[in-house]
Amino acid sequence: MFFARANDEAGAALVTSRHLAPCAAPAIGRLLLGGMLGLALAAPSCAAAGLDYAVTVEAPAPLGKLLEDNLDLLRFRGNARIDKEQLQQLVRSAPEQVRTLVATAGFYTPQVSARLDSGGATPTVVVTVEPGEPVLVASVDIELQGFAAPSAAGAAFDANALTAGWSLKQGQVFRQADWELAKRNLLREVVQTRYPRAQLSESLATIDPETHRAALRLVLESGPEMRFGALQIEGLKRYPPAIVTQLNQIKPGDYYSEAALQAYQSRLQDSGYFSTVEVSVDLSNALERQIAAAERPTPVKPPPAANTLPLLVRVTENKVKNVSTGLGYSTNTGNRAQLSYDDLSVFGLKFKSALTLETLRQAAHGDFYFPTTAKGYNDSVGASYERADIEGETTKVSKVAAKRAWGTPLIERSVTLEFLSELQLVAAVAPNHSKSLPLTYAITMRHLDSLLFPTRGYVFNAQLGAAPLPILTDEAFLRASTRFVYYYPLGTSSMLILRGEAGVLASKEKAGVPDVYMFRAGGDQSVRGYAYQELGVHEGTAIIGGRYMATASTEYQYWFTPIWGAAVFYDAGNAADTVKDLYPKSGYGAGARYKSAVGPINVDVAYGHAVQKYRLHFSLGFTF
């Protein structure tokens, strides 16, 4: 039996790349067992090629890959300073290096041999490995020291709860990488809340090669229990402190929580007032205060302030006024030019406005945003005007709205009251003017592994709106819609994306309900292979919105490199005034994918089966 004392850095030097340029290997850390040979080979002259030789590794697949990536025999092949004598030294040291490497994979009693065959034109080194029986975890002993008694606030640090969350469980193969990861995850779970100075004072793996069993022991010391102290703000010059304090949901005396810090920082970043935000606590000063308090003769117990962490907010303010312009192109609405003007301090409010000119749509809007309340509500009021000419229908829409939004990036909610006046123009049909005053509730739920490049999880949005009263409303109605995107990984390089959308509008008469509340389909984020909002109700030579809409999409993505991929897809859907007319029209095709700094760029070529035409679609990320 022998003891292997684990270290969080252990094994780091074992992992090196086998794709090294022969003359570029650094001297330090390249050889585990090669001694001075590694130093001699570290600074080769590239003027001449070294001894040409081949290496064959005979080992089970997982171990073969490990050895091919890390064996010195392979890493120094092609080195200009390798000669026959140095090759023989590499062969002699190979078995011990192999034993060290395969031990990290859980095999502590391998049978290893290495021989040099010089009979052919090219010398060949044959490394043979029979790993034997893997070492399994026999027991896990986690000892907690210094933690407060489990309670409602500290139940996460109960020994049973921590042991249950331990990832390297009894019966699993003892691998060095899994051991290190399990320790990091255990410590990470503790330091995120209440005990930010917790540390592993002991981590020991006792390996018995005869029984092929490992006994694991860890001692986790909590350190002092920490709470948040008073808020300190640095960097404010243009804006009042209330902008920072009203977004703070952390109260003095609350237990330290890394999640609370991240949430607060996210709220400040999303406010639009700051270009950079840092929310942190000063653990070093807290330790000094703890030591000083413990050294005082009186009082016997350290004062409560000794365990408090001042909450530090450092910001860099954005300019109060900002003007920006932009040019672009959309395969949905054509050429685009935009002029934006923002003023972050108008009567104590934030003002944002924009003028957008597109081939098929022109719009202008201005919105005032109130400071976020202490309860996290974001209130705004604004007005907008939009003119659109799509599929033979021209609409001119004026709108005034008031909105309250709240929640987190994971769950967002909003309530909007808007007054809308619309003029609808269709060739050979009398102009239709309608107005409405609906109230709409919306919710968006996100459960994704990444908000920018998701590969697993879902996004779901639902809206329910109604204009039930005859106040400023030509026709009462009830409107509901829902959208979702689901990401399912099929491996390390591929995934399946499912997307769907549905909507329904109920009213006694369709006339009198603004067309903007109706439904149409088709375009980049809908049914590809069709023009933007090409699928709907035919009226004369135009296509207008319908009472019902349903679309669905299935897409398979494969990533050839970390940033380049391809996709094939099938979309179907339609919009109509009756359910029986909601006959789906399909589109299918293929496209390219690129992971840019601002999100995935999608370029698709789709064939619309109903119109028998190909169409190019371009989009950035997904709209939700």
Side-chain angles (χ1 to χ4, degrees):
M1 179 180 293
F2 64 94
F3 296 89
R5 180 170 295 276
N7 186 308
D8 285 337
E9 301 299 327
L14 300 180
V15 183
T16 58
S17 174
R18 61 180 171 136
H19 303 292
L20 296 176
C23 300
I28 299 176
R30 286 304 187 184
L31 284 180
L32 294 174
L33 302 170
M36 293 303 295
L37 177 62
L39 297 177
L41 298 178
S45 169
C46 296
L51 177 65
D52 184 22
Y53 66 92
V55 179
T56 300
V57 178
E58 298 176 352
L63 295 181
K65 179 66 165 56
L66 172 67
L67 298 176
E68 289 172 4
D69 285 351
N70 296 281
L71 270 179
D72 294 334
L73 279 164
L74 286 161
R75 291 193 293 107
F76 287 107
R77 186 173 54 180
N79 191 288
R81 292 181 179 266
I82 285 288
D83 56 22
K84 186 174 181 179
E85 181 180 350
Q86 291 166 332
L87 177 59
Q88 290 173 341
Q89 173 63 28
L90 285 173
V91 174
R92 287 192 294 270
S93 63
E96 189 61 31
Q97 186 184 19
V98 169
R99 293 187 184 94
T100 302
L101 289 170
V102 300
T104 66
F107 298 93
Y108 284 79
T109 56
Q111 299 296 319
V112 184
S113 66
R115 71 178 190 275
L116 175 62
D117 184 359
S118 303
T122 302
T124 301
V125 180
V126 180
V127 179
T128 304
V129 182
E130 294 182 6
E133 184 179 344
V135 170
L136 304 181
V137 177
S139 62
V140 180
D141 178 20
I142 301 176
E143 180 181 337
L144 304 182
Q145 295 182 356
F147 289 86
S151 63
F157 303 113
D158 178 62
N160 294 330
L162 277 181
T163 303
W166 174 257
S167 58
L168 186 56
K169 297 185 181 297
Q170 184 177 352
Q172 292 183 355
V173 176
F174 177 78
R175 298 184 178 89
Q176 184 71 26
D178 295 341
W179 167 238
E180 300 300 331
L181 178 61
K183 290 189 295 181
R184 285 195 296 269
N185 289 343
L186 177 72
L187 187 59
R188 176 73 173 164
E189 184 177 350
V190 175
V191 300
Q192 288 184 68
T193 180
R194 293 183 66 182
Y195 301 100
R197 301 197 64 85
Q199 60 182 352
L200 287 171
S201 60
E202 181 181 350
S203 67
L204 185 68
T206 305
I207 310 297
D208 188 338
E210 296 181 359
T211 62
H212 302 282
R213 295 294 181 267
L216 309 182
R217 171 174 167 75
L218 300 101
V219 177
L220 182 60
E221 294 184 358
S222 69
E225 183 183 70
M226 294 294 186
R227 297 174 182 264
F228 287 116
L231 175 64
Q232 299 177 7
I233 306 172
E234 298 178 4
L236 277 182
K237 298 177 182 178
R238 300 185 178 101
Y239 309 119
I243 292 175
V244 175
T245 59
Q246 288 183 348
L247 292 174
N248 181 24
Q249 298 179 359
I250 301 173
K251 299 179 177 60
D254 287 352
Y255 282 121
Y256 169 85
S257 168
E258 187 176 304
L261 292 175
Q262 293 174 347
Y264 185 22
Q265 180 167 303
S266 178
R267 288 191 295 271
L268 289 171
Q269 289 172 333
D270 294 341
S271 70
Y273 288 98
F274 311 109
S275 58
T276 63
V277 177
E278 179 187 350
V279 178
S280 62
V281 295
D282 192 342
L283 289 174
S284 60
N285 288 343
L287 180 61
E288 294 172 1
R289 292 195 306 273
Q290 180 74 13
I291 295 173
E295 292 175 348
R296 295 189 189 108
T298 57
V300 177
K301 293 183 179 181
N307 288 356
T308 60
L309 299 169
L311 182 58
L312 306 179
V313 175
R314 296 183 177 94
V315 298
T316 302
E317 298 172 318
N318 280 326
K319 295 180 179 179
V320 176
K321 299 178 181 180
N322 183 62
V323 178
S324 62
T325 59
L327 297 175
Y329 176 79
S330 166
T331 49
N332 272 346
T333 52
N335 299 314
R336 175 187 301 163
Q338 181 169 300
L339 173 66
S340 300
Y341 172 74
D342 299 341
D343 192 325
L344 301 181
S345 184
V346 179
F347 307 116
L349 306 179
K350 181 167 55 178
F351 176 71
K352 300 177 74 68
S353 63
L355 173 65
T356 304
L357 303 177
E358 297 176 296
T359 304
L360 301 181
R361 174 177 292 169
Q362 303 82 46
H365 75 85
D367 298 284
F368 288 92
Y369 295 85
F370 293 82
T372 302
T373 68
K375 294 184 178 181
Y377 292 118
N378 296 285
D379 299 326
S380 62
V381 294
S384 65
Y385 174 82
E386 179 180 299
R387 180 189 181 279
D389 186 356
I390 299 172
E391 296 299 324
E393 178 194 42
T394 300
T395 56
K396 300 178 181 180
V397 179
S398 301
K399 182 170 62 175
V400 177
K403 180 178 180 180
R404 164 163 286 190
W406 68 96
T408 69
L410 299 181
I411 301 180
E412 295 180 2
R413 299 179 177 87
S414 67
V415 174
T416 305
L417 178 66
E418 60 185 1
F419 170 70
L420 183 144
S421 176
E422 178 188 87
L423 176 62
Q424 180 190 38
L425 302 172
V426 176
V429 177
N432 179 41
H433 186 276
S434 56
K435 59 182 182 295
S436 187
L437 184 69
L439 180 68
T440 302
Y441 172 80
I443 181 172
T444 299
M445 294 184 292
R446 298 179 178 89
H447 190 272
L448 301 169
D449 57 349
S450 169
L451 293 179
L452 191 59
F453 298 109
T455 61
R456 180 188 298 273
Y458 65 86
V459 183
F460 172 81
N461 171 268
Q463 297 186 27
L464 180 63
L469 304 176
I471 303 173
L472 300 176
T473 300
D474 293 334
E475 180 67 29
F477 68 86
L478 177 68
R479 184 183 189 272
S481 65
T482 182
R483 306 170 66 190
F484 80 90
V485 180
Y486 178 70
Y487 298 86
Y488 183 77
L490 299 176
T492 57
S493 302
S494 61
M495 66 177 171
L496 185 68
I497 302 176
L498 304 177
R499 177 167 48 84
E501 186 175 6
V504 58
L505 182 137
S507 66
K508 185 176 181 180
E509 300 290 343
K510 184 178 180 181
V513 179
D515 189 72
V516 71
Y517 296 126
M518 302 292 178
F519 300 99
R520 289 200 278 186
D524 302 338
Q525 300 286 345
S526 183
V527 182
R528 286 165 287 189
Y530 300 87
Y532 179 58
Q533 296 191 354
E534 183 180 6
L535 303 178
V537 177
H538 289 267
E539 184 169 323
T541 59
I543 297 175
I544 64 174
R547 292 176 177 270
Y548 301 92
M549 181 269 295
T551 68
S553 172
T554 300
E555 178 172 313
Y556 171 79
Q557 290 187 359
Y558 183 83
W559 293 88
F560 300 100
T561 72
I563 62 173
W564 285 102
V568 293
F569 56 86
Y570 182 88
D571 300 344
N574 207 346
D577 275 338
T578 63
V579 175
K580 68 177 183 178
D581 292 332
L582 204 61
Y583 185 80
K585 296 184 178 181
S586 61
Y588 42 85
R593 301 290 180 266
Y594 175 74
K595 291 183 179 179
S596 72
V598 293
I601 295 176
N602 314 302
V603 180
D604 296 319
V605 176
Y607 179 76
H609 187 267
V611 295
Q612 297 185 349
K613 292 181 180 179
Y614 287 95
R615 182 172 291 274
L616 178 68
H617 295 276
F618 173 87
S619 61
L620 175 63
F622 64 92
T623 302
F624 226 82

